[in-house]
Amino acid sequence: MSTTSAERTACGWVDENAAALSRWTSEIWHKGETAWREYESAAWYVERLRAEGFEVEEGSGGMPTAFAAEWRNGDGPVIASYAEYDGVPGNCQAAATVRRPREGLTEYAGGHTDPHSALGMSAFGGVLAAKAAMEREGLKGTLKFFGEPAEKVRGSKPIHAARGYYDGLDAMISFHPCYMLPLCNTVNWDTHCGAAYAMVYRFICDEPETWLKRAEGQPIPQAHSAVRAPGANDALFAMYNSGKALRDSMLPHMGGWSISEAILTAGQATADNLPARIAEIQYIIRVPTVEMAEQATMMLDRFAAAAAQLTHCRYERIWVSKSRPGLANHVMADLVYKKLEAVGAPRWGEKAKAIAREIQANLGLEPMTEPFLPDCERLMPPEEAERILRRDLPPSQVNYTSDDYTEMCWHAPTARLYIARPMLSAPAGYAYPDWVMNALGGIPETIDPMTVCAAKTIALSILELMQNDERRLAAKREFEERTGGGIGGSQWLAPLCDYDPPVNLRWPEYVETRRGREWWMPTAGY
């Protein structure tokens, strides 16, 4: 597997600490915290990083659940990776072979889908393994490790980028569990993720009493019978339907383009004959280019203005994310894939297979001798994955799908690594329910093989970048060529973020009540 003393030390560290990585992954997974509210998860990383000798800035970039950590071992290259740890509302699943929420919660609470719990721990394990090797072998250099909240709304990385946190890096390694084929046990080649804009439109009905002139002699409106201003809920409803028209007319159903929405806040909790004073709807636009995102935003702005005028409201647009499309780096992709080849694809043992068969049986399926997709244990060369991916894309489309690691690509040579998460084979015509993937991401026997494989690959890649000046400088030269001179070059895209972190919006979260700890929708009665 490994050929140098440093590589053997790093892989040995992962093997020796595999049980701890498994335990830590499970701990983050069970927290199930969601975007901008990952308080316990971020605190866990900060405490652990400090225990490992890192200097840590908490709340980096003005984001309470972000951090920036650094460990120096003398002058040398600066290599970085990062953790994500946000889950998704409405995906609370137990680490079990049947569908059920985690104890004390409902299915509407947060849960890990990708899972970011293992994403973060894989990168953390890789960085710690590289650190152990650097200490033992006396390798000079700096490791940086970022805590990136709210990836599901592409939240933190545009802010970190705009505020200079990625400047001065020699390389960045981005990891994500496989989320679609053929991007499984491979590295992105040319087609990286696209641009994305996310925003919240807030409708406010400031003076509902001025919508109609009050009748003569009526000092107060007849509250339960008088006409009333449509108000914020009607504005939101008009905006929601207009947005659907945009989606159907502006974005054809191909090429990975999408506009998705979520209703955040309603400003009235009764059915009285009073207008809602405030309502909020969030949109995220995932498209290949910034120009397309700008066009879609322009149309949403028009819809918001019309909805507000119609309903006696005003509106505000609050930015959540403005992120750039990704930038390829073949030197980095080749370097990381060679380390993945040295480590080998993950392997699932009999305990994991028995769990997978139990899930199949509980779903009424015939358990399979080999329940996992063959792709899970097969390497896919980056150029071959690229060829398969592009079969269904128009030649003019450079970027595809969505993730905000793309921000890092414009500040340092970046590789995007994918390792197989546990995915089950299915009988012809059958689709597994979503809870199955979520559960497999939380069961140690099924998720640990991915974490170990990814941690070793990241560690070996970091060590190669630390020691191989020729390859590291070649990656930098390619970065400079693609950006027309590096940061600030003629083809470089500057950060788009011109807004403050949107942490004060009414994001779903866990709350403490007299009934105990609950999801923001009360547990009692569900």
Side-chain angles (χ1 to χ4, degrees):
M1 178 195 300
S2 52
T3 58
T4 70
S5 176
E7 289 179 336
R8 289 191 291 273
T9 296
C11 289
W13 186 96
V14 174
D15 290 334
E16 291 166 12
N17 290 274
L21 291 174
S22 175
R23 187 170 63 253
W24 297 345
T25 300
S26 184
E27 188 170 347
I28 299 297
W29 189 87
H30 277 89
K31 293 183 187 300
E33 295 175 301
T34 53
W36 301 117
R37 299 293 184 257
E38 314 94 331
Y39 301 112
E40 293 182 4
S41 300
W44 185 95
Y45 274 105
V46 169
E47 181 181 3
R48 187 71 247 165
L49 281 159
R50 285 177 174 156
E52 296 288 345
F54 283 74
E55 294 183 5
V56 185
E57 176 190 350
E58 294 185 75
S60 53
M63 299 174 283
T65 54
F67 61 82
E70 178 180 300
W71 178 81
R72 289 178 56 83
N73 200 37
D75 294 334
V78 182
I79 313 299
S81 192
Y82 61 89
E84 294 169 6
Y85 30 82
D86 60 316
V88 185
N91 282 269
C92 181
Q93 167 62 34
T97 60
V98 295
R99 181 177 183 175
R100 71 165 184 262
R102 300 193 308 280
E103 186 176 357
L105 297 167
T106 77
E107 62 189 84
Y108 305 112
H112 285 281
T113 56
D114 278 331
H116 287 171
S117 48
L119 180 162
M121 209 55 64
S122 297
F124 188 47
V127 167
L128 292 184
K131 173 179 174 286
M134 291 173 68
E135 288 178 312
R136 180 168 179 173
E137 302 297 325
L139 301 178
K140 304 300 182 184
T142 296
L143 296 172
K144 290 196 174 185
F145 193 69
F146 298 99
E148 303 288 1
E151 189 280 328
K152 285 299 184 182
V153 293
R154 296 189 69 144
S156 67
K157 299 185 191 77
I159 295 167
H160 271 151
R163 300 190 179 189
Y165 283 88
Y166 305 145
D167 295 344
L169 300 178
D170 288 293
M172 169 66 76
I173 298 175
S174 169
F175 164 66
H176 200 287
C178 167
Y179 63 89
M180 68 177 198
L181 301 177
L183 299 179
C184 185
N185 299 323
T186 191
V187 184
N188 265 131
W189 192 246
D190 281 319
T191 307
H192 282 254
C193 289
Y197 279 19
M199 70 286 283
V200 168
Y201 288 93
R202 174 184 290 160
F203 297 96
I204 308 108
C205 189
D206 290 311
E207 298 178 321
E209 70 278 3
T210 64
W211 187 59
L212 288 178
K213 187 176 185 301
R214 194 171 296 144
E216 293 296 333
Q218 293 290 335
I220 61 172
Q222 301 298 314
H224 296 290
S225 59
V227 293
R228 63 174 175 83
N233 282 353
D234 290 75
L236 186 146
F237 182 75
M239 183 72 183
Y240 178 85
N241 282 300
S242 298
K244 285 190 174 297
L246 171 64
R247 184 162 54 207
D248 291 342
S249 61
M250 192 171 181
L251 299 182
H253 298 285
M254 61 177 291
W257 307 354
S258 69
I259 295 179
S260 305
E261 70 283 304
I263 295 172
L264 293 183
T265 301
Q268 184 167 324
T270 73
D272 203 351
N273 188 40
L274 296 171
R277 300 294 295 271
I278 184 171
E280 295 174 342
I281 184 168
Q282 176 198 6
Y283 286 92
I284 185 164
I285 306 162
R286 297 178 175 92
V287 285
T289 68
V290 171
E291 292 74 18
M292 292 174 66
E294 292 281 354
Q295 287 290 321
T297 300
M298 179 181 68
M299 297 307 300
L300 289 174
D301 284 350
R302 291 178 180 177
F303 295 153
Q309 187 174 22
L310 177 69
T311 58
H312 199 58
C313 293
R314 61 184 173 89
Y315 82 92
E316 300 171 351
R317 185 188 62 203
I318 304 161
W319 284 109
V320 176
S321 177
K322 293 166 74 173
S323 63
R324 298 165 281 183
L327 183 70
N329 192 294
H330 289 173
V331 174
M332 285 289 293
D334 181 70
L335 183 152
V336 173
Y337 185 70
K338 281 184 167 55
K339 297 307 175 184
L340 174 56
E341 285 184 311
V343 171
R347 294 285 185 267
W348 278 266
E350 186 53 40
K351 287 184 179 180
K353 292 178 182 179
I355 290 168
R357 294 186 196 110
E358 186 174 326
I359 290 174
Q360 291 175 327
N362 289 338
L363 290 168
L365 303 175
E366 182 69 27
M368 299 177 179
T369 303
E370 297 295 334
F372 293 105
L373 280 177
D375 296 272
C376 292
E377 298 185 346
R378 181 185 300 149
L379 297 181
M380 172 66 71
E383 290 171 280
E384 176 63 11
E386 175 76 14
R387 184 189 66 79
I388 296 171
L389 182 65
R390 294 219 57 93
R391 286 188 308 203
D392 298 322
L393 297 179
S396 60
Q397 184 173 331
V398 177
N399 297 90
Y400 177 65
T401 77
S402 178
D403 191 293
D404 62 354
Y405 80 91
T406 54
E407 287 296 304
M408 299 161 170
C409 298
W410 297 96
H411 297 264
T414 300
R416 175 68 160 179
L417 169 68
Y418 296 99
I419 303 295
R421 62 180 297 175
M423 299 178 287
L424 300 186
S425 294
Y430 181 82
Y432 286 99
D434 289 345
W435 71 261
V436 172
M437 288 284 278
N438 297 348
L440 289 170
I443 299 172
E445 291 85 353
T446 55
I447 195 61
D448 289 352
M450 183 204 78
T451 303
V452 168
C453 176
K456 288 181 178 180
T457 303
I458 292 167
L460 298 190
S461 300
I462 291 172
L463 294 173
E464 182 73 13
L465 289 162
M466 287 287 182
Q467 298 176 93
N468 193 330
D469 295 343
E470 181 181 348
R471 297 295 286 166
R472 189 179 67 253
L473 293 175
K476 184 177 181 180
R477 284 194 300 272
E478 182 178 350
F479 173 74
E480 292 174 345
E481 290 169 3
R482 290 180 181 271
T483 54
I487 295 177
S490 60
Q491 299 177 62
W492 185 69
L493 291 182
L496 304 172
C497 174
D498 54 1
Y499 50 87
D500 292 327
V503 296
N504 293 325
L505 290 168
R506 185 65 174 97
W507 300 107
E509 62 184 322
Y510 296 94
V511 294
E512 295 294 333
T513 75
R514 295 181 68 179
R515 296 179 299 276
R517 186 171 188 260
E518 290 186 338
W519 186 237
W520 73 288
M521 293 187 300
T523 300
Y526 284 96

